Amino acid sequence: MAANTPEAVPGPAPALMPDELDSRHLVRRLVALVVVVALVALAVGSLPGLGTVRHRFAQADLAAIGLIGLLKLASCLSNVVAFRYVFCPRMSWRFSGQLSLAEQATNVLVPTGGAGGLALGAWALRQGGMSTEHIGRRSVAFFVLTSVPNFAVAAVLGPVLLTGLFSGHIPVVLTLVLSAAAWSVAAVIALLPRLLARINPAKTGGGVGRRLRAAVVTLDNGIRDTGQLLRSGQWQAIIGAMGYLGFDIAALIAAFAAVGGGLPLAPLIFAYVIGQLGGLIPLPAGIGGTDGGLIGAMVLYGSSLSQAAAAVLAYRLFQLGVPAVLGAIAFIRLRQTLSQSSSPAAACAPLAEPLPIKTVRSTA
């Protein structure tokens, strides 16, 4: 069956940047993040009951601490590679890097559970001359592609942990449930194009029906684009997505090494994947959600509480700080690039003259 592709899906004219993505707003968020980090450091350094955590920081390996920052930088740059080769390899590295890093900073600084980065990317690409249809489907593809490694780790590593081949404490029920959930999500994503093909919101009259159909088509095409990227062996995008996750996991491993050792590798990686689910809670920088999720997961899979808390706090300092600082600088540069070049993304999928709504048809 052919993909549902519209001849033209008219989009809104290029809009002004949303207030929450204004540069001054992001700077205020960056300052607020610094204040929060300082308060956490003060609490760790002074509150009773945290003496073991303070001792671990006092004895921390400075070389390993520096390695955390380098690995997180590599993770951010891997995201740039994936972003460019998913959206358009013909975009300049400068524009791709500025936009990808700015998106990462927005996700850290704006409490929207990741939606802020998508909003910024859509705005900048639209202002840069890329068609709305291409932005939508490639945004879906980018999200799915960068999520695949996480679900693959949970789906594959979980059952392997249950075999007893790896040392460490493995909570059987939790591992089984989370592995089954990962396989279920993977199956839904794989079947989603077929399920979407059965939906025909064009039968719904009015603007709601048109918007629903456009959303279904975009989601369908985005998932198909992801499959095409994987089948065609678009190795730059694939390696970028794998590096984005892999270097981030390596940063957490380095954090454990810095504060006195860590879990066996396989349980640590699985705990990392499930612990990151706390970041889905739309809190500023995921503070509280991600931290609590990671610390809890590490303890469940065999770490002591003091060890997990020290390692996660050291890791989170760089996980938040590196993209926030680099992305804030990139955001300022991005505004300059868009003001100096009217269409830095137009070579990829240029804007077309909007056609009447009645010409939108399904090829299904």
Side-chain angles (χ1 to χ4, degrees):
M1 179 182 294
N4 291 337
T5 54
E7 294 183 7
V9 178
L16 296 176
M17 176 172 287
D19 292 339
E20 64 270 20
L21 301 181
D22 181 78
S23 57
R24 289 172 294 182
H25 185 82
L26 291 181
V27 169
R28 289 194 295 269
R29 290 283 184 180
L30 182 59
V31 172
L33 177 61
V34 172
V35 171
V36 170
V37 171
L39 291 175
V40 171
L42 179 63
V44 172
S46 59
L47 289 178
L50 298 178
T52 307
V53 176
R54 287 193 289 273
H55 176 72
R56 288 186 179 276
F57 279 123
Q59 303 297 319
D61 185 335
L62 295 182
I65 293 291
L67 182 59
I68 301 172
L70 291 177
L71 290 168
K72 187 57 200 176
L73 175 61
S75 175
C76 291
L77 296 179
S78 296
N79 185 278
V80 173
V81 174
F83 181 90
R84 182 175 186 267
Y85 283 94
V86 168
F87 277 91
C88 177
R90 294 189 296 279
M91 282 196 302
S92 70
W93 279 106
R94 184 181 71 164
F95 183 66
S96 300
Q98 290 170 351
L99 184 47
S100 172
L101 291 172
E103 280 195 10
Q104 293 177 66
T106 304
N107 288 334
V108 166
L109 298 173
V110 179
T112 53
L118 291 175
L120 172 63
W123 173 85
L125 290 169
R126 176 73 174 178
Q127 297 287 61
M130 185 177 287
S131 70
T132 303
E133 189 270 341
H134 189 78
I135 293 171
R137 66 189 293 168
R138 288 295 165 151
S139 294
V140 172
F142 181 70
F143 175 80
V144 174
L145 184 67
T146 53
S147 300
V148 164
N150 298 68
F151 286 104
V153 168
V156 175
L157 187 56
V160 175
L161 288 175
L162 293 173
T163 65
L165 293 176
F166 295 98
S167 61
H169 175 68
I170 311 298
V172 175
V173 175
L174 178 63
T175 304
L176 181 63
V177 169
L178 293 170
S179 298
W183 279 106
S184 299
V185 171
V188 169
I189 293 176
L191 294 174
L192 200 54
R194 294 186 180 183
L195 297 176
L196 292 174
R198 298 175 179 272
I199 300 175
N200 185 18
K203 293 181 179 179
T204 305
V208 174
R210 290 196 297 271
R211 286 192 293 270
L212 179 58
R213 179 182 183 279
V216 168
V217 169
T218 297
L219 182 60
D220 184 13
N221 288 336
I223 294 174
R224 291 177 186 274
D225 284 356
T226 308
Q228 179 61 32
L229 287 169
L230 294 172
R231 288 192 298 271
S232 64
Q234 179 60 272
W235 61 269
Q236 297 97 331
I238 296 170
I239 289 178
M242 294 174 61
Y244 181 50
L245 174 67
F247 285 120
D248 201 55
I249 294 175
L252 181 59
I253 294 172
F256 268 99
V259 297
L263 301 174
L265 184 60
L268 187 151
I269 293 175
F270 190 79
Y272 163 91
V273 171
I274 65 172
Q276 289 286 0
L277 295 176
L280 297 177
I281 302 173
L283 298 170
I287 293 175
T290 301
D291 310 279
L294 283 172
I295 292 172
M298 296 300 159
V299 171
L300 284 172
Y301 281 83
S303 173
S304 68
L305 180 58
S306 64
Q307 182 186 52
V312 169
L313 289 175
Y315 156 78
R316 287 282 283 163
L317 175 64
F318 290 96
Q319 191 202 30
L320 298 175
V322 172
V325 173
L326 290 179
I329 297 171
F331 182 83
I332 296 172
R333 298 288 187 182
L334 176 64
R335 296 293 296 264
Q336 295 174 349
T337 298
L338 289 172
S339 65
Q340 294 168 0
S341 175
S342 60
S343 54
C348 307
L351 290 165
E353 288 297 324
L355 297 179
I357 296 295
K358 64 180 181 181
T359 64
V360 179
R361 297 193 302 272
S362 171
T363 59

